[in-house]
Amino acid sequence: MSSLLRVVLQRLGLGVMTLFVVSLIIAFVVELLPGDITQAMLGQSATPETVAAFRAEIGLDRPAHIRYLEWLHGMLTGDMGQSLASKREIAGFVGPRLANTLFLGGMAAAIAIPLALFLGLLAALYRNSLYDRIVNMVTLTSISFPEFFVAYILILFFSVKGGFFPGISNVSTDLAFGDKLFRTVLPALTLTLVVLAHMLRMTRAAIINLLASPYIEMARLKGTRPFRIILHHALPNAWGPIVNVIALNLAYLVVGVVVVEVVFVYPGLGQLLVDSVSKRDLPVVQACAMIFAAVYILLNLLSDIVSIVSNPRLLHPR
Amino acid sequence: MQGAIRLFLGAPISAKIGLLIVFVYACVAIFAPWIAPYSETSIVGSSYELWSDEFIFGTDNIGRDMLSRLIYGARNTIGIAFATVVLAFLIGGITGMLVAILGGWSDLLIGRLVDILMAVPSLIFALLLLTIFGTSIPSLIVIIAVLDSTRVFRIARSAAMNVVVMDFVEVAQLRGERMWWVIRKEVLPNIMAPLLAEFGLRFCFVFLFIAALSFLGLGIQPPTADWGSMVRENATLINYNDITPLLPAAAIAGLTVAVNFVVDWMLHLSSGLRSD
């Protein structure tokens, strides 16, 4: 047990280190610009007075390490500073948007994960069959589709032509849960389709890999039924790779969410990030980037830990 | 030349179709000014005109010919993505091979740096960097190339690692050949196959990435015709049951599917070549 604990703690430490270095990069990326960020943002015509005022406003007049420590402290305590464009407290409007994004991502994951596992399992079981080959072609094609293409096709068929679901998902906090669910269907479906292909292919590969190992052949030779082989022999060992696949794709959702939110005008963090980039509102971009990066790193960390913990060799050390 | 033809004839049908589509796209991109009926930026009609003989796919939100913009879009979108991938391969490939030969300190340092950059989705870093450097085409190309070179670095390094330990590399080094010569004449020819397949994959990724950024309004800026931003500009038409905005999106999807088919075949080829 102690070796397991040690490995888990090691991974946790590594994750925290990564998070720390990423926060350093996000905070110091400003210094990358040759010359001065204020010049670039205010334009050449800015007077020295405005430049000085702006520098004081975003705190550029103080030493870098103090700025970083203050920013990190703010990030950890929920005080993310002020938006340059609207002068509002960032923490105030980031919170509900983060909740919306997590809701959308969670819904997409709830549809995509069981579906991908089931279809991937089937493709692995009946590999090289017609079903498997069709799945291969379809997933290879859908991986190549840009997210917004999938989104607009869904809007065209389910919203414009069919009229089943709204094509704009302007959810707000005072909406009833059912109503919110209804308006989130199309974006969630888009995200599902985007990650489904990847997840399916990876599940299939992981299971096929396992089915080739000698102990599975042994089980088959002694006459165990295929379904029982999968459930009792393959699956316990497949949890590690499968969880890895899920986490990788949840992380992928984090990126897909940005485009999908913009298509459906969904008030989430991704849309805020895109808006802030076009307004060059640096503090908001930094806060959003940090949140996205943290979620991504934590998901990867979680998958790492689960695959370690579910590894029979580590669970039962000799 | 004969070898190339035989290789092509032996390719599976999906790869042949893929190659053909890529060839058509390339022709459209190269000969855009001769094919397109109108210029890329000139306003030739009223906005959102329907499909007609004069404007085959209608006109866009400010009255520019949709077909002409689609044709010029091939040139701009593919050209920029191509330049980005080439730059990414120059940065990532050379550093990867260099690090594989040098080993030790530089390997560890650059490896960790790449790990960190890959620990965060490149879209997030790209958005952060675009905020600071602004959205011009040169900064777009450089930012995405640098972020993407991390992936190339990994492939090039691990492929080169297997070559660097070979006797002929050691002999070349003992002979006193320069580092650059060893990389170019000994290492590169031996890792060409996996790098070429990776080039196709990276191209797909970068192409979709730039299209997504342009769609978000943060990539290629108007009035340059570009498929991603064309979808964005004309998206409202979808609500009127008009599929015109799907055309540029389909153009993007078509090219990535084709390249993926070709890459699938190339991966198959290179793995087959290595096993015997």
Side-chain angles (χ1 to χ4, degrees):
Chain A
M1 203 57 203
S2 70
S3 73
L4 181 68
L5 201 67
R6 204 172 58 230
V7 176
V8 170
L9 283 179
Q10 223 169 22
R11 284 300 152 90
L12 270 176
L14 203 65
V16 173
M17 261 307 283
T18 314
L19 212 51
F20 172 69
V21 177
V22 168
S23 80
L24 274 180
I25 294 179
I26 291 179
F28 283 115
V29 83
V30 189
E31 322 281 335
L32 272 180
L33 196 72
D36 202 324
I37 180 91
T38 46
Q39 278 292 337
M41 285 194 168
L42 296 176
Q44 292 298 327
S45 58
T47 60
E49 289 80 40
T50 29
V51 170
F54 186 68
R55 283 177 67 88
E57 191 187 330
I58 56 174
L60 266 181
D61 50 346
R62 280 168 304 143
H65 60 280
I66 293 183
R67 242 184 310 140
Y68 171 69
L69 286 178
E70 279 177 1
W71 181 77
L72 189 66
H73 179 256
M75 273 286 156
L76 292 173
T77 52
D79 169 27
M80 303 178 184
Q82 263 186 359
S83 151
L84 288 183
S86 66
K87 307 281 177 241
R88 283 163 55 206
E89 286 294 319
I90 295 174
F93 55 87
V94 156
R97 276 173 178 270
L98 179 61
N100 280 343
T101 295
L102 290 179
F103 179 75
L104 174 59
M107 193 162 151
I111 307 172
I113 293 173
L115 202 62
L117 289 187
F118 180 70
L119 293 177
L121 222 62
L122 276 188
L125 255 185
Y126 303 106
R127 67 172 176 284
N128 297 331
S129 67
L130 184 67
Y131 166 74
D132 185 31
R133 264 178 291 164
I134 292 176
V135 160
N136 188 37
M137 281 295 262
V138 171
T139 48
L140 194 63
T141 311
S142 75
I143 284 174
S144 328
F145 280 12
E147 288 100 345
F148 51 85
F149 190 37
V150 179
Y152 280 123
I153 290 179
L154 286 183
I155 289 184
L156 185 68
F157 284 106
F158 288 101
S159 174
V160 178
K161 281 191 201 287
F164 305 116
F165 300 107
I168 286 182
S169 313
N170 47 348
V171 298
S172 55
T173 39
D174 49 318
L175 224 53
F177 184 72
D179 216 14
K180 203 168 157 184
L181 214 58
F182 177 66
R183 290 192 189 189
T184 321
V185 166
L186 280 189
L189 215 57
T190 311
L191 277 176
T192 303
L193 288 177
V194 167
V195 292
L196 187 69
H198 272 282
M199 231 192 288
L200 201 159
R201 281 174 88 94
M202 286 159 90
T203 310
R204 178 181 173 276
I207 299 280
I208 283 182
N209 228 347
L210 264 174
L211 288 182
S213 45
Y215 76 94
I216 297 284
E217 197 175 356
M218 180 64 215
R220 206 177 288 141
L221 284 177
K222 75 182 184 198
T224 318
R225 268 173 292 133
F227 193 67
R228 200 181 147 77
I229 292 181
I230 295 267
L231 221 60
H232 286 253
H233 296 259
L235 215 50
N237 281 308
W239 279 127
I242 288 181
V243 168
N244 240 324
V245 170
I246 294 175
L248 259 177
N249 282 284
L250 287 184
Y252 199 81
L253 272 182
V254 172
V255 180
V257 107
V258 175
V259 174
V260 173
E261 277 179 9
V262 171
V263 175
F264 289 97
V265 206
Y266 185 86
L269 208 55
Q271 205 196 31
L272 177 69
L273 179 56
V274 171
D275 282 350
S276 310
V277 173
S278 48
K279 281 186 224 148
R280 301 187 86 170
D281 192 344
L282 194 61
V284 183
V285 174
Q286 281 176 317
C288 290
M290 197 57 223
I291 294 173
F292 271 118
V295 170
Y296 190 84
I297 291 171
L298 287 180
L299 280 175
N300 276 325
L301 186 66
L302 192 71
S303 88
D304 251 12
I305 289 175
V306 171
S307 65
I308 291 168
V309 169
S310 68
N311 187 337
R313 276 183 224 112
L314 281 171
L315 271 182
H316 309 285
R318 261 179 277 185
Chain B
M1 193 59 207
Q2 248 179 354
I5 292 174
R6 201 173 309 134
L7 199 67
F8 175 74
L9 290 178
I13 185 78
S14 62
K16 274 181 194 157
I17 298 175
L19 278 172
L20 191 72
I21 297 177
V22 171
F23 180 71
V24 171
Y25 270 87
C27 285
V28 170
I30 293 167
F31 299 112
W34 291 276
I35 304 173
Y38 301 96
S39 107
E40 154 182 31
T41 48
S42 64
I43 297 168
V44 289
S46 55
S47 60
Y48 296 133
E49 266 186 57
L50 296 177
W51 295 17
S52 64
D53 289 340
E54 195 182 355
F55 309 111
I56 296 174
F57 291 134
T59 57
D60 73 352
N61 58 334
I62 55 172
R64 294 168 295 195
D65 180 46
M66 200 72 190
L67 178 67
S68 307
R69 280 181 75 74
L70 269 176
I71 292 169
Y72 275 100
R75 176 175 263 204
N76 300 328
T77 315
I78 299 174
I80 289 173
F82 194 77
T84 309
V85 184
V86 169
L87 188 60
F89 266 76
L90 283 179
I91 301 172
I94 293 176
T95 346
M97 286 187 282
L98 204 64
V99 150
I101 294 178
L102 290 174
W105 245 98
S106 57
D107 186 18
L108 218 64
L109 198 72
I110 298 181
R112 285 294 88 77
L113 184 73
V114 165
D115 279 350
I116 295 285
L117 280 180
M118 284 176 79
V120 174
S122 39
L123 179 67
I124 303 301
F125 270 143
L127 289 181
L128 187 67
L129 291 173
L130 284 173
T131 315
I132 290 166
F133 293 101
T135 48
S136 66
I137 288 177
S139 66
L140 191 72
I141 291 178
V142 172
I143 287 172
I144 298 175
V146 167
L147 290 176
D148 214 54
S149 65
T150 55
R151 271 82 177 166
V152 182
F153 169 81
R154 280 231 174 142
I155 300 277
R157 178 183 168 278
S158 69
M161 276 294 190
N162 294 328
V163 177
V164 166
V165 292
M166 299 279 186
D167 291 338
F168 59 82
V169 178
E170 202 171 334
V171 168
Q173 276 171 325
L174 286 177
R175 218 166 45 222
E177 301 290 0
R178 291 224 189 98
M179 182 83 73
W180 178 237
W181 193 90
V182 174
I183 286 181
R184 210 160 43 95
K185 297 279 177 174
E186 308 282 358
V187 181
L188 188 59
N190 286 298
I191 63 170
M192 212 52 201
L195 276 189
L196 264 181
E198 183 65 16
F199 189 89
L201 282 180
R202 292 321 325 157
F203 176 79
C204 281
F205 182 82
V206 166
F207 186 59
L208 287 177
F209 196 77
I210 291 181
L213 280 178
S214 302
F215 173 76
L216 295 175
L218 306 170
I220 303 165
Q221 298 295 323
T224 311
D226 152 77
W227 291 336
S229 33
M230 280 168 73
V231 177
R232 169 196 177 83
E233 285 158 9
N234 302 300
T236 37
L237 279 181
I238 282 277
N239 299 322
Y240 303 104
N241 209 347
D242 185 339
I243 61 155
T244 314
L246 289 181
L247 292 175
I252 295 168
L255 183 61
T256 24
V257 171
V259 174
N260 261 328
F261 279 152
V262 177
V263 167
D264 222 33
W265 169 56
M266 272 169 34
L267 280 176
H268 190 75
L269 266 188
S270 71
S271 69
L273 286 177
R274 254 181 290 157
S275 68
D276 57 40

